[in-house]
Amino acid sequence: MRDAASGTSYARPRHAPIPAFDRTRDAEVPPARSAAMRLLLTALLCLLIFPVLSAPPPDPMLATTYREGVPVDTFLVSEKLDGVRARWDGRALWTRGGARIAAPPTFTRGWPVEPMEGELWIARGRFDDISALVRRVGTDTQAWRDVRFMVFDLPMHPGPFAERVVRMRSITSAAGNTHLQAIPQRRFDTAAALDAELARVVAAGGEGLMLHRRTARYRAGRSEDLLKYKPHEDAEAQVVAHLPGKGKYEGMMGALQVRTPEGRSFRLGTGFTDAQRAEPPPLGAWLTYRHNGLTSKGLPRFARFMRMRDEMPLPDTAR
């Protein structure tokens, strides 16, 4: 090529060839980042496909203790079942503490979208069986064959309890599923008739009775509109120490040192089987005990072990 001004010739510069795009090399992602991305995508996919396994539980309506002088004829009465309290949110079953219950699809088939509260129950004296089943991680259709969800309230229904009872009967009947039933409710005109019913239920192996004021609307927290009537009182406590046994219980647990939710501590030494003494409940576990009232210091009188709890008891909600 010649310079027009000087007439000097020079060679045309040779440009280096533009490298072809190496798709494999340029798109390569470091192995660590690739693995992290796959884990993130898997986690997001699981959140989309699988339901949340726990959720903050709504405040339930809680019972107070029946006392003499209560106008019995203003209440509806049902048996207090020895099962596991649960709630149905329209899609899934949850424990009172907010843990998802792995019930098989056949168990809840046809259930309404209306929220319900009830008791997962097998039969009188079968609390340990239903408690163990609820704690299982996987579903077992055969194991749930004899379980029923006994509905005792509708927390979102705005009407008085008498209207809620009618609604419970209607929706459980319409579901066409034998696992879903409404707890029978009865009326008694006198305290003597109520006492006779309590005696009949206890003699048959039941725990006691529940009384619900017919005109009461659903309200979270302790309520005088919902009463429990049993031949004994019960409460919850947490295990804080194992005390060694003596005599025939040498080398085994003799008693438990427990603490109530209010912070009171006492020994619990009766009501245990030999198997429970050989393998006592772990420290920090919660249990239910029976007692015959309280002493002047606020400690339970004649306390005896009843059963283990699956969850920590919920604190009372202010009235």
Side-chain angles (χ1 to χ4, degrees), residues 276-313:
Q276 289 168 333
R277 292 183 183 278
E279 295 186 15
L283 301 184
W286 286 86
L287 54 79
T288 299
Y289 63 91
R290 294 181 177 181
H291 63 97
N292 293 7
L294 302 176
T295 67
S296 59
K297 295 182 179 180
L299 297 176
R301 183 182 286 110
F302 305 117
R304 52 222 181 263
F305 174 78
M306 187 174 175
R307 63 191 178 210
M308 298 305 301
R309 287 186 61 96
D310 297 326
E311 301 173 317
M312 175 181 175

mmCIF file of all heavy atoms in Angstrom, residues 276-313:
data_model
loop_
_atom_site.group_PDB
_atom_site.id
_atom_site.type_symbol
_atom_site.label_atom_id
_atom_site.label_comp_id
_atom_site.label_asym_id
_atom_site.label_seq_id
_atom_site.Cartn_x
_atom_site.Cartn_y
_atom_site.Cartn_z
ATOM 1 N N GLN A 276 -41.195 -48.384 82.955
ATOM 2 C CA GLN A 276 -40.937 -46.940 82.951
ATOM 3 C C GLN A 276 -39.857 -46.568 83.954
ATOM 4 O O GLN A 276 -39.102 -45.620 83.734
ATOM 5 C CB GLN A 276 -42.238 -46.189 83.256
ATOM 6 C CG GLN A 276 -43.238 -46.254 82.119
ATOM 7 C CD GLN A 276 -44.622 -45.778 82.517
ATOM 8 O OE1 GLN A 276 -45.014 -45.867 83.698
ATOM 9 N NE2 GLN A 276 -45.378 -45.279 81.560
ATOM 10 N N ARG A 277 -39.775 -47.317 85.058
ATOM 11 C CA ARG A 277 -38.716 -47.054 86.034
ATOM 12 C C ARG A 277 -37.357 -47.480 85.489
ATOM 13 O O ARG A 277 -36.334 -46.861 85.783
ATOM 14 C CB ARG A 277 -39.017 -47.774 87.352
ATOM 15 C CG ARG A 277 -40.215 -47.214 88.101
ATOM 16 C CD ARG A 277 -40.429 -47.914 89.431
ATOM 17 N NE ARG A 277 -41.620 -47.433 90.111
ATOM 18 C CZ ARG A 277 -41.688 -46.325 90.854
ATOM 19 N NH1 ARG A 277 -40.595 -45.590 91.011
ATOM 20 N NH2 ARG A 277 -42.808 -45.956 91.431
ATOM 21 N N ALA A 278 -37.343 -48.558 84.705
ATOM 22 C CA ALA A 278 -36.087 -49.023 84.107
ATOM 23 C C ALA A 278 -35.593 -48.063 83.027
ATOM 24 O O ALA A 278 -34.388 -47.872 82.853
ATOM 25 C CB ALA A 278 -36.275 -50.425 83.536
ATOM 26 N N GLU A 279 -36.514 -47.455 82.300
ATOM 27 C CA GLU A 279 -36.172 -46.485 81.259
ATOM 28 C C GLU A 279 -37.014 -45.237 81.478
ATOM 29 O O GLU A 279 -38.032 -45.027 80.816
ATOM 30 C CB GLU A 279 -36.417 -47.066 79.872
ATOM 31 C CG GLU A 279 -35.526 -48.250 79.539
ATOM 32 C CD GLU A 279 -35.697 -48.708 78.106
ATOM 33 O OE1 GLU A 279 -36.291 -47.944 77.305
ATOM 34 O OE2 GLU A 279 -35.247 -49.812 77.771
ATOM 35 N N PRO A 280 -36.627 -44.404 82.432
ATOM 36 C CA PRO A 280 -37.430 -43.225 82.766
ATOM 37 C C PRO A 280 -37.446 -42.200 81.642
ATOM 38 O O PRO A 280 -36.569 -42.205 80.775
ATOM 39 C CB PRO A 280 -36.728 -42.672 84.017
ATOM 40 C CG PRO A 280 -35.321 -43.161 83.902
ATOM 41 C CD PRO A 280 -35.409 -44.505 83.246
ATOM 42 N N PRO A 281 -38.442 -41.330 81.644
ATOM 43 C CA PRO A 281 -38.506 -40.293 80.608
ATOM 44 C C PRO A 281 -37.292 -39.380 80.674
ATOM 45 O O PRO A 281 -36.731 -39.151 81.753
ATOM 46 C CB PRO A 281 -39.801 -39.541 80.940
ATOM 47 C CG PRO A 281 -40.094 -39.873 82.359
ATOM 48 C CD PRO A 281 -39.558 -41.236 82.593
ATOM 49 N N PRO A 282 -36.845 -38.867 79.548
ATOM 50 C CA PRO A 282 -35.634 -38.037 79.523
ATOM 51 C C PRO A 282 -35.839 -36.693 80.211
ATOM 52 O O PRO A 282 -36.973 -36.200 80.341
ATOM 53 C CB PRO A 282 -35.369 -37.859 78.023
ATOM 54 C CG PRO A 282 -36.718 -37.988 77.387
ATOM 55 C CD PRO A 282 -37.443 -39.018 78.210
ATOM 56 N N LEU A 283 -34.757 -36.109 80.644
ATOM 57 C CA LEU A 283 -34.810 -34.768 81.221
ATOM 58 C C LEU A 283 -35.339 -33.793 80.170
ATOM 59 O O LEU A 283 -34.970 -33.851 79.005
ATOM 60 C CB LEU A 283 -33.420 -34.341 81.688
ATOM 61 C CG LEU A 283 -32.736 -35.224 82.738
ATOM 62 C CD1 LEU A 283 -31.408 -34.597 83.151
ATOM 63 C CD2 LEU A 283 -33.629 -35.447 83.937
ATOM 64 N N GLY A 284 -36.211 -32.912 80.617
ATOM 65 C CA GLY A 284 -36.805 -31.940 79.697
ATOM 66 C C GLY A 284 -38.126 -32.376 79.117
ATOM 67 O O GLY A 284 -38.848 -31.558 78.540
ATOM 68 N N ALA A 285 -38.471 -33.665 79.258
ATOM 69 C CA ALA A 285 -39.747 -34.158 78.730
ATOM 70 C C ALA A 285 -40.904 -33.656 79.589
ATOM 71 O O ALA A 285 -40.751 -33.362 80.778
ATOM 72 C CB ALA A 285 -39.739 -35.681 78.701
ATOM 73 N N TRP A 286 -42.080 -33.575 78.973
ATOM 74 C CA TRP A 286 -43.287 -33.138 79.685
ATOM 75 C C TRP A 286 -44.192 -34.332 79.933
ATOM 76 O O TRP A 286 -44.291 -35.241 79.119
ATOM 77 C CB TRP A 286 -44.029 -32.080 78.878
ATOM 78 C CG TRP A 286 -43.350 -30.743 78.895
ATOM 79 C CD1 TRP A 286 -42.363 -30.307 78.065
ATOM 80 C CD2 TRP A 286 -43.591 -29.673 79.815
ATOM 81 N NE1 TRP A 286 -41.975 -29.043 78.397
ATOM 82 C CE2 TRP A 286 -42.709 -28.618 79.463
ATOM 83 C CE3 TRP A 286 -44.470 -29.494 80.881
ATOM 84 C CZ2 TRP A 286 -42.681 -27.407 80.153
ATOM 85 C CZ3 TRP A 286 -44.441 -28.283 81.567
ATOM 86 C CH2 TRP A 286 -43.557 -27.252 81.210
ATOM 87 N N LEU A 287 -44.860 -34.309 81.087
ATOM 88 C CA LEU A 287 -45.763 -35.397 81.448
ATOM 89 C C LEU A 287 -47.042 -34.832 82.050
ATOM 90 O O LEU A 287 -47.110 -33.655 82.444
ATOM 91 C CB LEU A 287 -45.079 -36.360 82.425
ATOM 92 C CG LEU A 287 -44.474 -35.794 83.714
ATOM 93 C CD1 LEU A 287 -45.529 -35.533 84.800
ATOM 94 C CD2 LEU A 287 -43.414 -36.735 84.272
ATOM 95 N N THR A 288 -48.047 -35.690 82.127
ATOM 96 C CA THR A 288 -49.306 -35.343 82.786
ATOM 97 C C THR A 288 -49.415 -36.162 84.062
ATOM 98 O O THR A 288 -49.130 -37.359 84.057
ATOM 99 C CB THR A 288 -50.507 -35.641 81.871
ATOM 100 O OG1 THR A 288 -50.396 -34.850 80.677
ATOM 101 C CG2 THR A 288 -51.824 -35.301 82.551
ATOM 102 N N TYR A 289 -49.817 -35.532 85.156
ATOM 103 C CA TYR A 289 -49.984 -36.227 86.427
ATOM 104 C C TYR A 289 -51.376 -35.941 86.997
ATOM 105 O O TYR A 289 -51.983 -34.906 86.709
ATOM 106 C CB TYR A 289 -48.901 -35.817 87.427
ATOM 107 C CG TYR A 289 -48.922 -34.349 87.811
ATOM 108 C CD1 TYR A 289 -49.656 -33.906 88.924
ATOM 109 C CD2 TYR A 289 -48.219 -33.400 87.072
ATOM 110 C CE1 TYR A 289 -49.686 -32.561 89.275
ATOM 111 C CE2 TYR A 289 -48.249 -32.059 87.414
ATOM 112 C CZ TYR A 289 -48.977 -31.644 88.518
ATOM 113 O OH TYR A 289 -49.007 -30.322 88.862
ATOM 114 N N ARG A 290 -51.862 -36.864 87.795
ATOM 115 C CA ARG A 290 -53.130 -36.685 88.494
ATOM 116 C C ARG A 290 -52.859 -36.202 89.914
ATOM 117 O O ARG A 290 -51.809 -36.484 90.484
ATOM 118 C CB ARG A 290 -53.897 -38.010 88.556
ATOM 119 C CG ARG A 290 -54.366 -38.520 87.213
ATOM 120 C CD ARG A 290 -55.127 -39.827 87.382
ATOM 121 N NE ARG A 290 -55.657 -40.310 86.123
ATOM 122 C CZ ARG A 290 -56.373 -41.424 85.985
ATOM 123 N NH1 ARG A 290 -56.616 -42.188 87.050
ATOM 124 N NH2 ARG A 290 -56.836 -41.786 84.802
ATOM 125 N N HIS A 291 -53.822 -35.502 90.468
ATOM 126 C CA HIS A 291 -53.680 -35.079 91.866
ATOM 127 C C HIS A 291 -55.056 -34.800 92.454
ATOM 128 O O HIS A 291 -56.055 -34.658 91.732
ATOM 129 C CB HIS A 291 -52.777 -33.842 91.969
ATOM 130 C CG HIS A 291 -53.320 -32.621 91.276
ATOM 131 N ND1 HIS A 291 -54.015 -31.639 91.931
ATOM 132 C CD2 HIS A 291 -53.280 -32.236 89.974
ATOM 133 C CE1 HIS A 291 -54.356 -30.685 91.089
ATOM 134 N NE2 HIS A 291 -53.930 -31.027 89.881
ATOM 135 N N ASN A 292 -55.089 -34.710 93.769
ATOM 136 C CA ASN A 292 -56.341 -34.458 94.492
ATOM 137 C C ASN A 292 -56.327 -33.064 95.096
ATOM 138 O O ASN A 292 -56.307 -32.892 96.312
ATOM 139 C CB ASN A 292 -56.541 -35.507 95.599
ATOM 140 C CG ASN A 292 -56.773 -36.903 95.051
ATOM 141 O OD1 ASN A 292 -56.664 -37.119 93.849
ATOM 142 N ND2 ASN A 292 -57.085 -37.838 95.905
ATOM 143 N N GLY A 293 -56.268 -32.069 94.239
ATOM 144 C CA GLY A 293 -56.246 -30.696 94.722
ATOM 145 C C GLY A 293 -54.854 -30.237 95.095
ATOM 146 O O GLY A 293 -53.856 -30.930 94.867
ATOM 147 N N LEU A 294 -54.772 -29.048 95.705
ATOM 148 C CA LEU A 294 -53.496 -28.432 96.034
ATOM 149 C C LEU A 294 -53.362 -28.207 97.539
ATOM 150 O O LEU A 294 -54.360 -28.018 98.242
ATOM 151 C CB LEU A 294 -53.354 -27.088 95.303
ATOM 152 C CG LEU A 294 -53.443 -27.121 93.773
ATOM 153 C CD1 LEU A 294 -53.385 -25.706 93.212
ATOM 154 C CD2 LEU A 294 -52.337 -27.988 93.179
ATOM 155 N N THR A 295 -52.121 -28.217 98.002
ATOM 156 C CA THR A 295 -51.845 -27.910 99.399
ATOM 157 C C THR A 295 -51.874 -26.398 99.607
ATOM 158 O O THR A 295 -52.014 -25.624 98.646
ATOM 159 C CB THR A 295 -50.473 -28.450 99.808
ATOM 160 O OG1 THR A 295 -49.460 -27.712 99.102
ATOM 161 C CG2 THR A 295 -50.348 -29.925 99.470
ATOM 162 N N SER A 296 -51.689 -25.970 100.844
ATOM 163 C CA SER A 296 -51.683 -24.534 101.138
ATOM 164 C C SER A 296 -50.508 -23.829 100.478
ATOM 165 O O SER A 296 -50.522 -22.613 100.280
ATOM 166 C CB SER A 296 -51.632 -24.314 102.655
ATOM 167 O OG SER A 296 -50.464 -24.921 103.200
ATOM 168 N N LYS A 297 -49.466 -24.602 100.096
ATOM 169 C CA LYS A 297 -48.301 -24.036 99.418
ATOM 170 C C LYS A 297 -48.422 -24.104 97.893
ATOM 171 O O LYS A 297 -47.488 -23.766 97.177
ATOM 172 C CB LYS A 297 -47.033 -24.766 99.861
ATOM 173 C CG LYS A 297 -46.714 -24.582 101.330
ATOM 174 C CD LYS A 297 -45.415 -25.282 101.702
ATOM 175 C CE LYS A 297 -45.072 -25.078 103.169
ATOM 176 N NZ LYS A 297 -43.799 -25.761 103.535
ATOM 177 N N GLY A 298 -49.569 -24.560 97.427
ATOM 178 C CA GLY A 298 -49.789 -24.611 95.990
ATOM 179 C C GLY A 298 -49.230 -25.831 95.303
ATOM 180 O O GLY A 298 -49.179 -25.890 94.071
ATOM 181 N N LEU A 299 -48.797 -26.843 96.070
ATOM 182 C CA LEU A 299 -48.269 -28.074 95.487
ATOM 183 C C LEU A 299 -49.377 -29.115 95.364
ATOM 184 O O LEU A 299 -50.314 -29.147 96.176
ATOM 185 C CB LEU A 299 -47.133 -28.623 96.358
ATOM 186 C CG LEU A 299 -45.900 -27.713 96.468
ATOM 187 C CD1 LEU A 299 -44.893 -28.321 97.440
ATOM 188 C CD2 LEU A 299 -45.265 -27.492 95.105
ATOM 189 N N PRO A 300 -49.294 -29.997 94.347
ATOM 190 C CA PRO A 300 -50.350 -31.001 94.157
ATOM 191 C C PRO A 300 -50.377 -32.020 95.305
ATOM 192 O O PRO A 300 -49.337 -32.466 95.780
ATOM 193 C CB PRO A 300 -49.976 -31.660 92.829
ATOM 194 C CG PRO A 300 -48.510 -31.406 92.681
ATOM 195 C CD PRO A 300 -48.243 -30.080 93.311
ATOM 196 N N ARG A 301 -51.582 -32.374 95.721
ATOM 197 C CA ARG A 301 -51.767 -33.349 96.791
ATOM 198 C C ARG A 301 -51.957 -34.740 96.182
ATOM 199 O O ARG A 301 -52.744 -34.917 95.263
ATOM 200 C CB ARG A 301 -52.968 -32.953 97.641
ATOM 201 C CG ARG A 301 -53.226 -33.858 98.831
ATOM 202 C CD ARG A 301 -54.457 -33.435 99.615
ATOM 203 N NE ARG A 301 -54.189 -32.232 100.407
ATOM 204 C CZ ARG A 301 -54.704 -31.046 100.158
ATOM 205 N NH1 ARG A 301 -55.500 -30.880 99.107
ATOM 206 N NH2 ARG A 301 -54.421 -30.013 100.927
ATOM 207 N N PHE A 302 -51.191 -35.725 96.674
ATOM 208 C CA PHE A 302 -51.253 -37.111 96.195
ATOM 209 C C PHE A 302 -51.024 -37.187 94.677
ATOM 210 O O PHE A 302 -51.776 -37.833 93.942
ATOM 211 C CB PHE A 302 -52.586 -37.767 96.558
ATOM 212 C CG PHE A 302 -52.903 -37.721 98.028
ATOM 213 C CD1 PHE A 302 -54.016 -37.040 98.500
ATOM 214 C CD2 PHE A 302 -52.081 -38.347 98.945
ATOM 215 C CE1 PHE A 302 -54.305 -36.991 99.852
ATOM 216 C CE2 PHE A 302 -52.354 -38.300 100.304
ATOM 217 C CZ PHE A 302 -53.468 -37.623 100.772
ATOM 218 N N ALA A 303 -49.980 -36.530 94.218
ATOM 219 C CA ALA A 303 -49.670 -36.533 92.782
ATOM 220 C C ALA A 303 -49.183 -37.909 92.341
ATOM 221 O O ALA A 303 -48.424 -38.570 93.049
ATOM 222 C CB ALA A 303 -48.605 -35.485 92.480
ATOM 223 N N ARG A 304 -49.627 -38.357 91.174
ATOM 224 C CA ARG A 304 -49.202 -39.633 90.608
ATOM 225 C C ARG A 304 -49.123 -39.517 89.091
ATOM 226 O O ARG A 304 -49.929 -38.814 88.471
ATOM 227 C CB ARG A 304 -50.142 -40.758 91.014
ATOM 228 C CG ARG A 304 -51.601 -40.487 90.742
ATOM 229 C CD ARG A 304 -52.451 -40.953 91.920
ATOM 230 N NE ARG A 304 -53.885 -40.746 91.701
ATOM 231 C CZ ARG A 304 -54.534 -39.680 92.176
ATOM 232 N NH1 ARG A 304 -53.900 -38.708 92.815
ATOM 233 N NH2 ARG A 304 -55.833 -39.577 91.997
ATOM 234 N N PHE A 305 -48.155 -40.210 88.529
ATOM 235 C CA PHE A 305 -47.911 -40.159 87.090
ATOM 236 C C PHE A 305 -49.118 -40.703 86.321
ATOM 237 O O PHE A 305 -49.724 -41.707 86.701
ATOM 238 C CB PHE A 305 -46.669 -40.979 86.753
ATOM 239 C CG PHE A 305 -46.406 -41.117 85.286
ATOM 240 C CD1 PHE A 305 -45.841 -40.085 84.562
ATOM 241 C CD2 PHE A 305 -46.725 -42.294 84.624
ATOM 242 C CE1 PHE A 305 -45.596 -40.208 83.200
ATOM 243 C CE2 PHE A 305 -46.477 -42.433 83.266
ATOM 244 C CZ PHE A 305 -45.911 -41.390 82.557
ATOM 245 N N MET A 306 -49.438 -40.013 85.211
ATOM 246 C CA MET A 306 -50.543 -40.439 84.364
ATOM 247 C C MET A 306 -50.039 -40.903 82.996
ATOM 248 O O MET A 306 -50.282 -42.029 82.586
ATOM 249 C CB MET A 306 -51.549 -39.298 84.220
ATOM 250 C CG MET A 306 -52.830 -39.643 83.506
ATOM 251 S SD MET A 306 -53.984 -38.226 83.568
ATOM 252 C CE MET A 306 -55.310 -38.863 82.543
ATOM 253 N N ARG A 307 -49.303 -40.026 82.282
ATOM 254 C CA ARG A 307 -48.771 -40.387 80.969
ATOM 255 C C ARG A 307 -47.837 -39.290 80.491
ATOM 256 O O ARG A 307 -47.819 -38.183 81.016
ATOM 257 C CB ARG A 307 -49.898 -40.584 79.957
ATOM 258 C CG ARG A 307 -50.727 -39.338 79.687
ATOM 259 C CD ARG A 307 -51.962 -39.673 78.894
ATOM 260 N NE ARG A 307 -52.810 -38.521 78.653
ATOM 261 C CZ ARG A 307 -54.120 -38.583 78.513
ATOM 262 N NH1 ARG A 307 -54.739 -39.740 78.591
ATOM 263 N NH2 ARG A 307 -54.824 -37.503 78.281
ATOM 264 N N MET A 308 -47.070 -39.605 79.441
ATOM 265 C CA MET A 308 -46.178 -38.634 78.835
ATOM 266 C C MET A 308 -46.956 -37.763 77.849
ATOM 267 O O MET A 308 -47.953 -38.194 77.272
ATOM 268 C CB MET A 308 -45.032 -39.335 78.109
ATOM 269 C CG MET A 308 -44.138 -40.173 79.007
ATOM 270 S SD MET A 308 -43.452 -39.242 80.393
ATOM 271 C CE MET A 308 -42.554 -37.920 79.528
ATOM 272 N N ARG A 309 -46.470 -36.551 77.684
ATOM 273 C CA ARG A 309 -47.034 -35.636 76.700
ATOM 274 C C ARG A 309 -46.128 -35.600 75.477
ATOM 275 O O ARG A 309 -44.904 -35.725 75.593
ATOM 276 C CB ARG A 309 -47.157 -34.221 77.256
ATOM 277 C CG ARG A 309 -48.260 -34.036 78.276
ATOM 278 C CD ARG A 309 -48.371 -32.572 78.637
ATOM 279 N NE ARG A 309 -48.708 -31.770 77.476
ATOM 280 C CZ ARG A 309 -49.948 -31.385 77.160
ATOM 281 N NH1 ARG A 309 -50.954 -31.742 77.919
ATOM 282 N NH2 ARG A 309 -50.170 -30.651 76.094
ATOM 283 N N ASP A 310 -46.734 -35.402 74.308
ATOM 284 C CA ASP A 310 -45.951 -35.296 73.080
ATOM 285 C C ASP A 310 -45.365 -33.908 72.902
ATOM 286 O O ASP A 310 -44.379 -33.718 72.211
ATOM 287 C CB ASP A 310 -46.813 -35.632 71.863
ATOM 288 C CG ASP A 310 -47.307 -37.065 71.908
ATOM 289 O OD1 ASP A 310 -46.562 -37.919 72.409
ATOM 290 O OD2 ASP A 310 -48.437 -37.325 71.469
ATOM 291 N N GLU A 311 -46.012 -32.913 73.523
ATOM 292 C CA GLU A 311 -45.597 -31.534 73.320
ATOM 293 C C GLU A 311 -45.652 -30.780 74.628
ATOM 294 O O GLU A 311 -46.351 -31.155 75.556
ATOM 295 C CB GLU A 311 -46.518 -30.827 72.314
ATOM 296 C CG GLU A 311 -46.562 -31.470 70.956
ATOM 297 C CD GLU A 311 -47.610 -30.822 70.068
ATOM 298 O OE1 GLU A 311 -48.711 -30.554 70.558
ATOM 299 O OE2 GLU A 311 -47.311 -30.600 68.903
ATOM 300 N N MET A 312 -44.932 -29.700 74.675
ATOM 301 C CA MET A 312 -45.005 -28.789 75.814
ATOM 302 C C MET A 312 -46.392 -28.167 75.853
ATOM 303 O O MET A 312 -46.937 -27.774 74.821
ATOM 304 C CB MET A 312 -43.946 -27.694 75.675
ATOM 305 C CG MET A 312 -44.011 -26.623 76.731
ATOM 306 S SD MET A 312 -42.735 -25.376 76.448
ATOM 307 C CE MET A 312 -43.157 -24.177 77.724
ATOM 308 N N PRO A 313 -47.027 -28.052 77.041
ATOM 309 C CA PRO A 313 -48.354 -27.438 77.098
ATOM 310 C C PRO A 313 -48.297 -25.980 76.690
ATOM 311 O O PRO A 313 -47.343 -25.255 77.006
ATOM 312 C CB PRO A 313 -48.758 -27.589 78.573
ATOM 313 C CG PRO A 313 -47.460 -27.736 79.302
ATOM 314 C CD PRO A 313 -46.553 -28.479 78.348
#
